[in-house]
């Protein structure tokens, strides 16, 4: 269940190619933490306003930065966080816009697919979204096409990884 998919290895390879492995990993972590904090503040602002949203983003950034500094600077949880938060944010945006077609379900699915490829237990986010999706569908705010777009987005990232592994002859590994 806790196997690491190639996405983490790609991040490590990119850091190694830079020539400054630990510096690059800390920089990647900083970008992931900053992106997560920004997405958290965007999501919180919709519910509680600007000031509490900024505080929520700063609290997340502080806690995640502390955890990253205490570890080696290469946490899959931190890399997966922006994708997981994007998954939730995009689905909330889709439900808020009503039954109009849009790209939010696909973005949400891509976020979940990437989060799962970095941290497999993130698949539970899909379970957390299920009650919201069912309620939105019953209220007429979500169509079947949105659900299909979400599923396609979820499967696109693992599919790309499988195709890459098959092209390199390492799928069996």
């Amino acid at each position: 269940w806790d196997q690491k998919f190639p996405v983490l290895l790609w991040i490590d390879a990119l850091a190694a190619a830079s020539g400054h492995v630990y510096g690059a990993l800390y920089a990647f972590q900083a970008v992931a933490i900053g992106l997560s904090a920004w997405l958290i503040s965007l999501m919180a602002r919709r519910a509680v306003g600007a000031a509490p949203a900024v505080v929520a983003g700063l609290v997340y950034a502080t806690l995640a930065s502390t955890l990253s500094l205490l570890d080696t600077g290469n946490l899959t949880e931190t890399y997966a966080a922006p994708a997981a938060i994007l998954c939730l944010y995009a689905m909330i945006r889709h439900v808020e816009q009503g039954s109009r077609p849009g790209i939010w379900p696909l973005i949400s699915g891509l976020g979940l697919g990437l989060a799962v490829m970095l941290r497999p237990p993130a698949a539970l986010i899909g379970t957390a979204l299920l009650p919201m999706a069912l309620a939105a569908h019953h209220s007429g705010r979500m169509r079947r096409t949105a659900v299909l777009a979400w599923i396609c987005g979820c499967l696109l990232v693992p599919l790309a990884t499988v195709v890459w592994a098959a092209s390199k002859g390492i799928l069996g590994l």
Side-chain angles (χ1 to χ4, degrees):
W1 180 249
D2 197 29
Q3 295 297 315
K4 305 298 185 237
F5 290 102
V7 177
L8 179 63
L9 300 176
W10 296 335
I11 292 170
D12 292 346
L14 185 60
S18 75
H20 304 285
V21 177
Y22 287 111
L25 289 175
Y26 279 115
F28 296 160
Q29 290 279 306
V31 168
I33 290 168
L35 187 57
S36 295
W38 177 68
L39 286 168
I40 286 171
S41 67
L42 280 179
M43 198 163 34
R45 183 176 32 188
R46 302 181 82 71
V48 296
V54 169
V55 170
L58 288 175
V59 166
Y60 173 81
T62 302
L63 294 175
S65 298
T66 302
L67 179 62
S68 181
L69 287 174
L70 292 175
D71 200 7
T72 61
N74 197 26
L75 296 173
T76 55
E77 292 85 355
T78 307
Y79 294 134
I85 297 165
L86 179 64
C87 172
L88 295 171
Y89 175 73
M91 191 54 73
I92 289 169
R93 289 292 306 264
H94 175 71
V95 170
E96 286 177 350
Q97 78 180 14
S99 64
R100 291 177 290 158
I103 195 155
W104 291 114
L106 181 63
I107 292 171
S108 177
L110 287 170
L112 181 59
L114 184 57
V116 168
M117 291 303 291
L118 283 163
R119 192 78 185 132
L124 295 174
I125 295 168
T127 306
L129 283 175
L130 190 58
M132 183 175 72
L134 288 174
H137 178 68
H138 289 303
S139 70
R141 291 182 161 201
M142 185 177 291
R143 296 180 180 176
R144 288 188 182 126
T145 54
V147 174
L148 289 175
W150 186 77
I151 291 170
C152 288
C154 288
L155 296 177
L156 193 59
V157 178
L159 179 64
T161 304
V162 167
V163 168
W164 172 83
S167 73
K168 299 293 183 187
I170 59 172
L171 187 59
L173 296 176

